[in-house]
Amino acid sequence: PWAWMVLATIALLGVAAVSATQGAVDLSLGELWGSLANEADRLHTVIWNVRIPRLACAAIVGANLAIAGSLLQTTVRNPLADPGILGVSAGAGVGALSVIIFFPGNSAWIPWAAFVGGLVSIVTLLGLAWTRSRASGTLRIVLSGVALQAILFALIALMSFAFADRAPSFAAFLVGSLNGLGWNEASLLVLPTLIGVGLALLSIRTLNVLMLDEGAASGLGVSVQRARFFAACVAALLTAAAVSVAGLINFVGLVVPNGVRLLTGPDHRILMPVSAVAGATLVILADGVARTSLAPLELPVGALLSLIGGPYFLYLLWKKLP
């Protein structure tokens, strides 16, 4: 299975290199490396301060959402789970917009406020499901998440309408965009991402045990509800970091872990790292298409990813429902 990690890494490096050559001025790979190495080159500043940080943000956002998706799918034991579908992304969006609107100039707070919003959303969702049934019916959780997402989207719309002079472009935030991201935004991602990825890696053994039924998992010494809650919190942190800089990019956490699971199997020791690399590759690729397909017009990357994820979600619904 580790061969898939090697192939995924090669794909990521190739897609990132090609994407970095595309823009207002197209370059060959040789010209790209030459401009990066030569600070006196007229394109060095553009590549280093515009294209590279945007690639870094795209890669981190994609990796975070893919890992969050794999965590949530294990938490609720349902391949339909995704940060967007369960309302975690929308909750993080409410938190991020709250800081932007009410505490302008405190950009360092945005990822943590987004985490609080995402955490409240997932706690509310799981709390409602587990109150009704200890088994927390997986389809009930997904459907409740869809309803919660609709409520939070409405709240985001009201906030953006009421504070249009302070909030960023509502349309760009709602559909997800990487336009204009630089090193400042990339630096905002670093700390929450490192914490989230570190906690996710530390919980790999527990995640593998959670794939068993509750009785077997408890027999192996795992507190099932506590472990699921912890994994959901880590997913909320990773999602919050992505939403705080890129807006509501959905379906990466749905498509990537399910696709990788078909190739590598369910073992999180390989599923999680390959999903992270594949998620980064997918978002970089989608962003490249968004930037170049109708240039100079730039499409929202979140909308393009929804065109992939939406039909796949419908396919999974028809496959899973009786």
Side-chain angles (χ1 to χ4, degrees):
W2 286 102
W4 290 111
M5 185 65 186
V6 175
L7 292 174
T9 303
I10 293 172
L12 171 62
L13 295 175
V15 169
V18 171
S19 182
T21 64
Q22 306 299 308
V25 178
D26 291 341
L27 305 171
S28 67
L29 288 175
E31 290 171 331
L32 173 68
W33 304 130
S35 297
L36 276 176
N38 182 10
E39 294 187 10
D41 190 283
R42 61 186 180 87
L43 293 176
H44 176 85
T45 300
V46 173
I47 295 172
W48 181 250
N49 292 326
V50 178
R51 297 188 185 181
I52 299 300
R54 179 164 176 161
L55 280 175
C57 288
I60 297 173
V61 166
N64 282 5
L65 293 175
I67 295 174
S70 66
L71 290 170
L72 290 175
Q73 286 162 18
T74 301
T75 298
V76 304
R77 299 174 65 88
N78 194 322
L80 298 175
D82 167 81
I85 294 169
L86 296 185
V88 181
S89 294
V94 171
L97 277 179
S98 297
V99 171
I100 293 171
I101 292 171
F102 300 112
F103 302 97
N106 294 284
S107 59
W109 296 6
I110 293 176
W112 306 108
F115 169 58
V116 172
L119 183 61
V120 170
S121 298
I122 194 64
V123 168
T124 301
L125 181 64
L126 295 179
L128 289 172
W130 290 341
T131 299
R132 178 68 181 272
S133 168
R134 291 288 291 177
S136 62
T138 58
L139 183 57
R140 184 187 299 121
I141 292 178
V142 172
L143 295 178
S144 299
V146 172
L148 179 63
Q149 179 193 45
I151 295 170
L152 292 170
F153 269 146
L155 183 57
I156 290 173
L158 290 173
M159 293 171 67
S160 299
F161 178 79
F163 301 96
D165 57 328
R166 302 187 215 174
S169 171
F170 170 59
F173 186 84
L174 185 62
V175 297
S177 175
L178 298 172
N179 187 26
L181 298 186
W183 288 119
N184 286 337
E185 289 76 16
S187 65
L188 289 177
L189 288 169
V190 172
L191 182 58
T193 297
L194 288 176
I195 294 174
V197 171
L199 292 175
L201 293 176
L202 288 174
S203 63
I204 282 178
R205 178 186 175 278
T206 303
L207 291 169
N208 282 338
V209 174
L210 286 179
M211 293 188 296
L212 305 172
D213 62 74
E214 288 200 19
S218 299
L220 291 173
V222 173
S223 175
V224 175
Q225 300 293 64
R226 187 182 302 170
R228 288 179 176 173
F229 178 74
F230 177 79
C233 291
V234 175
L237 177 59
L238 292 169
T239 302
V243 169
S244 66
V245 300
L248 304 180
I249 295 179
N250 294 321
F251 293 113
V252 175
L254 174 72
V255 174
V256 173
N258 279 302
V260 171
R261 195 177 286 110
L262 292 174
L263 299 174
T264 68
D267 188 344
H268 286 80
R269 289 176 297 176
I270 184 65
L271 172 65
M272 194 174 293
V274 175
S275 292
V277 175
T281 304
L282 178 61
V283 175
I284 290 175
L285 181 61
D287 184 51
V289 173
R291 288 189 294 109
T292 60
S293 58
L294 293 179
L297 179 65
E298 182 171 318
L299 300 175
V301 64
L304 291 181
L305 289 168
S306 293
L307 289 176
I308 300 172
Y312 188 67
F313 179 64
L314 290 175
Y315 163 74
L316 288 178
L317 271 177
W318 282 103
K319 183 178 178 181
K320 298 297 290 185
L321 290 177

